Amino acid sequence: MTVDPVLIEVTRGPLVESRHRGAVALASSSGGLALSLGDVTSPVYPRSAVKALQALPLIETGTADRFGFGPAEIAIACGSHVGSERHTHLAAAMLERADLNPDALGCGAHAPLGAAAARELIAAGQQPTQLHNNCSGKHAGMLATAVHMGEATACYCNVDHPVQQRVHSAMAEISGLPLGADVRGTDGCSVPNWAMPLSAMARMFARLGSGEGMDADRRAALSRILNACWQFPEMVAGKNRADTVVMRALPGKVFMKTGAEGVYCGAFPELGLGFALKIDDGAKRAASGAAMALVERLYPSARGLMPVGGIKTWHGVEVGEVRSSAYFEDALAGLKL
Amino acid sequence: MTVDPVLIEVTRGPLVESRHRGAVALASSSGGLALSLGDVTSPVYPRSAVKALQALPLIETGTADRFGFGPAEIAIACGSHVGSERHTHLAAAMLERADLNPDALGCGAHAPLGAAAARELIAAGQQPTQLHNNCSGKHAGMLATAVHMGEATACYCNVDHPVQQRVHSAMAEISGLPLGADVRGTDGCSVPNWAMPLSAMARMFARLGSGEGMDADRRAALSRILNACWQFPEMVAGKNRADTVVMRALPGKVFMKTGAEGVYCGAFPELGLGFALKIDDGAKRAASGAAMALVERLYPSARGLMPVGGIKTWHGVEVGEVRSSAYFEDALAGLKL
């Protein structure tokens, strides 16, 4: 049995206190692997990292045009937002344009991902609603698609609903995989999520950037989605979040999206590459650290955009750090493009 | 290089989504290992799992008697509490008896660990204070010790302060290890923390329960500490927390204490055993799962005390689970006592 390498380690004083193993694939649109670390062949759920692909039917069915969704609306449909007022208002406005109210959402309620938004909600004596769910933009887009297509809105999260079947078709076509029930799980927001090897996921993201092997309509739809995220990166995540900060600084060059349980995916259109990585244990700190290390390797100007991972006391004194392992650093340094 | 086994896995639909590797030692007071999984020889920071040992000087110096600290105060000195009012009030009362105010604390402030306590604080428009720090009871005890001994209170967190040197001596004596600067890190609450092999840590906890190799005074002090935790388990953690729930149900039989970065330690005095485990990646969900699996193996009546780890959608539908790996289950099943 193969064991994934340690990608990220967490130090305290003179010792490494914790270690995160994982796998990384960096691929071209044809599937050639520029980098392959660990097990890139076993199926991994991409979770929220594929929201840009889950948003394809929103464009391809004509739903976005029908309801006048511009780049901000398209970006939030691809986002895992922090639940601030600008996010919840935009998701609510999308639903309103489709003549729906927030009760139609199937994503469920959770406290805003953003600490500031979560605090504000409690201070105001309010409970989180489904609009605060980080996926509410995606779900508003899915619901609008159902309305536009004249489909029932009640069970749009179910795998056999046309809304999810369209997502499945798009993902299966672009990944080139059957994506059967054997790799199907249910995401935290109640919609299906299909697992695939990291190698195929990276190739799918390379294609997201290149449009390779797709007809003109799909290329245009993907281009519209990526440009929306680069134009409104704050709708993809929020203040001080890596996806927002990096895409604002490097529009056209880096598309990146986090997923739950230690997943990160992205595209580098200028380089003709896509990446997908998974931390075995699902830790966000390690997935973010590994994704930033990769982005910084390909675009050195990304260095310094996100704070380096210091491990601090509650008085703010640094007593350790979150860093790439020597193995991962060597692999990145040896990367030939 | 040896690789720790997967102890806990997290499923979603038909697949294992995430895996937590780790090491476990179950030892007698003499150091004989009843169970040894993974690397139990490399140094691991015990973090908050050793608060009961860090509290030894509070008893042995006569500080607890001097200030009239009963079992509740001793229990919170051993605790990582959730920051509810009963916890902050007790820590404040301890400081008051030593004629100190909360500003003397060196642990730093953080939002209460308990979600309810954190919410209440925000709703009341208040900022977290050092009293809300989960370690405030430990620090109140350390400060009281300095006062009782006539030592400066300003720098009691420093490694060369007598308060920390007494902790070091007790830990070195009971573990039988030198605990030098090569294994010394700084905990999040600013006090030193010494790493040791899990095998030695488990043996130390066996001795905590048995008192083996100690003089009568130390045995009495340890007994007083354990009994305090069993009498006031809510002071060791809080409502619905494993340490509180299990120790309330199994006083005299199970002492257990969580630590940051995936550490768990405990003692089974009736069985003459102690345990120490570390999840490589530092995940709390895995450390708790592994500790509960071990406790339930030794005391089947602990089953059902803590909710089984379901992975749910935001609507509460179970779509996966956190479970022991087959390897870990087999190892526990094969355990001979």
Side-chain angles (χ1 to χ4, degrees):
Chain A
M1 186 196 158
T2 151
V3 174
D4 286 338
V6 174
L7 299 178
I8 299 291
E9 51 193 29
V10 182
T11 70
R12 181 173 300 270
L15 304 174
V16 173
E17 183 168 31
S18 296
R19 291 168 179 83
H20 298 279
R21 294 176 181 277
V24 186
L26 179 66
S28 68
S29 296
S30 64
L33 289 168
L35 184 70
S36 173
L37 306 176
D39 175 7
V40 299
T41 62
S42 296
V44 167
Y45 292 115
R47 307 294 300 274
S48 288
V50 288
K51 277 177 175 164
L53 293 150
Q54 290 174 312
L56 258 179
L58 177 66
I59 310 296
E60 294 186 331
T61 56
T63 304
D65 291 333
R66 154 87 173 274
F67 294 117
F69 293 162
E73 287 86 354
I74 294 169
I76 201 173
C78 302
S80 296
H81 65 71
V82 296
S84 73
E85 278 199 1
R86 61 191 306 191
H87 296 108
T88 57
H89 287 180
L90 186 59
M94 289 171 72
L95 291 168
E96 204 177 325
R97 288 208 224 144
D99 210 17
L100 292 168
N101 73 52
D103 292 342
L105 289 168
C107 50
H110 66 68
L113 286 191
R119 264 198 313 273
E120 281 165 24
L121 204 65
I122 295 168
Q126 291 170 10
Q127 293 296 316
T129 69
Q130 295 196 101
L131 289 171
H132 295 96
N133 187 310
N134 77 88
C135 306
S136 66
K138 175 177 83 173
H139 280 252
M142 287 178 167
L143 273 166
T145 305
V147 170
H148 174 60
M149 299 297 284
E151 296 155 2
T153 55
C155 47
Y156 74 97
C157 294
N158 290 354
V159 64
D160 50 2
H161 191 283
V163 162
Q164 303 307 331
Q165 284 302 306
R166 280 188 294 267
V167 170
H168 178 267
S169 295
M171 302 263 297
E173 286 163 21
I174 301 175
S175 70
L177 296 172
L179 304 182
D182 56 324
V183 293
R184 191 183 75 223
T186 303
D187 211 329
C189 69
S190 296
V191 302
N193 198 259
W194 287 274
M196 62 182 83
L198 289 175
S199 56
M201 210 183 289
R203 184 182 61 190
M204 181 171 72
F205 273 84
R207 291 174 179 170
L208 173 75
S210 69
E212 205 168 299
M214 302 172 199
D215 64 24
D217 283 354
R218 178 152 285 174
R219 290 169 87 120
L222 285 173
S223 175
R224 191 167 162 191
I225 286 171
L226 291 187
N227 282 309
C229 294
W230 285 320
Q231 201 177 338
F232 288 90
E234 65 272 27
M235 286 301 156
V236 180
K239 202 177 166 186
N240 298 332
R241 300 272 160 166
D243 295 344
T244 296
V245 170
V246 173
M247 288 203 283
R248 181 179 292 132
L250 292 162
K253 298 179 193 304
V254 179
F255 174 83
M256 61 193 287
K257 181 71 189 71
T258 184
E261 289 291 336
V263 172
Y264 234 113
C265 294
F268 307 108
E270 288 184 341
L271 307 175
L273 296 170
F275 79 93
L277 68 85
K278 159 80 181 175
I279 301 300
D280 294 0
D281 57 75
K284 185 167 282 302
R285 67 179 177 187
S288 302
M292 283 307 299
L294 179 61
V295 168
E296 289 171 10
R297 167 67 184 84
L298 300 181
Y299 287 96
S301 68
R303 280 183 204 142
L305 289 179
M306 291 301 294
V308 176
I311 296 289
K312 297 176 178 174
T313 68
W314 295 109
H315 279 305
V317 176
E318 193 156 313
V319 295
E321 61 173 330
V322 181
R323 68 184 186 199
S324 295
S325 68
Y327 168 89
F328 189 36
E329 285 202 340
D330 286 351
L332 289 176
L335 180 57
K336 288 187 180 55
L337 298 175
Chain B
M1 185 197 159
T2 150
V3 173
D4 286 338
V6 174
L7 298 178
I8 299 291
E9 51 194 27
V10 182
T11 70
R12 181 173 301 270
L15 304 174
V16 173
E17 183 168 30
S18 297
R19 292 168 178 83
H20 298 279
R21 294 176 181 276
V24 186
L26 180 67
S28 69
S29 297
S30 64
L33 290 168
L35 184 70
S36 173
L37 307 176
D39 175 7
V40 299
T41 63
S42 297
V44 168
Y45 292 115
R47 308 292 301 274
S48 287
V50 288
K51 277 176 175 164
L53 293 150
Q54 291 174 312
L56 258 179
L58 176 67
I59 310 296
E60 295 186 331
T61 56
T63 305
D65 292 333
R66 154 88 173 273
F67 295 118
F69 294 161
E73 287 85 355
I74 294 168
I76 200 173
C78 302
S80 298
H81 64 71
V82 296
S84 74
E85 278 198 2
R86 61 193 303 194
H87 297 107
T88 57
H89 287 180
L90 186 58
M94 289 171 73
L95 290 168
E96 204 177 325
R97 288 209 223 144
D99 209 17
L100 292 168
N101 73 53
D103 292 341
L105 290 169
C107 50
H110 67 66
L113 285 191
R119 263 199 313 273
E120 280 164 24
L121 205 64
I122 295 169
Q126 291 170 8
Q127 293 297 316
T129 69
Q130 294 195 101
L131 289 170
H132 296 96
N133 187 310
N134 76 88
C135 306
S136 67
K138 175 176 82 173
H139 280 253
M142 286 178 168
L143 273 166
T145 306
V147 170
H148 174 60
M149 299 298 284
E151 297 154 2
T153 55
C155 47
Y156 74 96
C157 294
N158 290 354
V159 64
D160 50 2
H161 190 285
V163 162
Q164 302 307 332
Q165 284 302 306
R166 280 187 294 268
V167 170
H168 179 266
S169 296
M171 302 265 294
E173 286 162 22
I174 300 174
S175 70
L177 296 172
L179 304 181
D182 58 323
V183 293
R184 190 183 75 223
T186 303
D187 212 329
C189 68
S190 296
V191 302
N193 198 260
W194 287 274
M196 63 182 81
L198 289 174
S199 57
M201 210 183 291
R203 183 182 62 192
M204 181 170 74
F205 274 84
R207 290 174 179 170
L208 174 75
S210 71
E212 204 168 298
M214 302 171 198
D215 64 25
D217 283 354
R218 177 152 286 174
R219 290 170 87 118
L222 285 172
S223 174
R224 191 166 160 193
I225 286 171
L226 291 187
N227 282 309
C229 294
W230 286 319
Q231 200 177 337
F232 288 90
E234 65 274 25
M235 287 301 157
V236 180
K239 200 176 167 187
N240 298 331
R241 300 271 160 166
D243 294 344
T244 297
V245 171
V246 173
M247 290 203 282
R248 180 179 292 131
L250 293 162
K253 298 180 194 302
V254 179
F255 173 83
M256 63 193 285
K257 180 71 189 71
T258 183
E261 289 292 335
V263 172
Y264 233 112
C265 293
F268 307 107
E270 288 184 342
L271 308 174
L273 295 170
F275 79 93
L277 67 85
K278 158 83 180 172
I279 301 300
D280 294 359
D281 58 75
K284 186 167 282 301
R285 67 179 175 187
S288 302
M292 284 307 299
L294 178 61
V295 168
E296 289 170 12
R297 166 66 184 84
L298 300 181
Y299 288 96
S301 68
R303 279 182 205 144
L305 287 179
M306 292 300 295
V308 176
I311 296 289
K312 296 177 179 174
T313 67
W314 295 110
H315 279 305
V317 176
E318 192 156 313
V319 294
E321 62 173 330
V322 181
R323 69 184 184 199
S324 295
S325 68
Y327 168 88
F328 190 35
E329 286 203 341
D330 286 352
L332 289 175
L335 179 60
K336 288 187 181 57
L337 299 174

